[in-house]
Amino acid sequence: MDTDDRRTGTAIEEHWRASEAGDLEAEHAIYADDAILDYPQSGERFRGRATIAAQRGAHPADRHFTVLRVSGGGALWVSEVVITYDGAPAHSVSIMEFAGGRVTHETQYFASPFPAPPSRAALAERIPA
């Protein structure tokens, strides 16, 4: 991993730590002033770091973040995170596009846990916690 990738990976980890700590300023330092955040499942697009921070800061739920994995390189990075909203977990995949050391575009997907169907029980194993 080259120096730029190490720096980007560290910035992403700091972003998630700040998210967990509720530090809005540090959480959003990673974004370019004109960054775009898309939530495809709700059809919402947020333009600009200030707007992104405002919509997250106004979230009414008690939120916690557990990072499962961060991977990527160059301009494209992916985070897998479990976000709990008032104790209810949602799995999230965050795709961040970088330019000039800042996120210019993030697309974030969310999925709630669901029970595995019995028809797959003989084929599957549990994912370790």
Side-chain angles (χ1 to χ4, degrees), residues 6-30:
R6 273 195 296 278
R7 189 175 307 121
T8 301
T10 298
I12 294 168
E13 290 169 5
E14 289 172 0
H15 161 77
W16 292 118
R17 275 194 297 276
S19 298
E20 173 60 23
D23 183 342
L24 284 176
E25 186 173 331
E27 176 182 357
H28 295 92
I30 197 170

Side-chain angles (χ1 to χ4, degrees), residues 64-88:
H64 294 282
F65 300 79
T66 302
V67 177
L68 303 178
R69 178 169 53 168
V70 174
S71 58
L76 188 64
W77 289 75
V78 176
S79 299
E80 295 177 61
V81 182
V82 175
I83 306 172
T84 59
Y85 297 93
D86 292 331

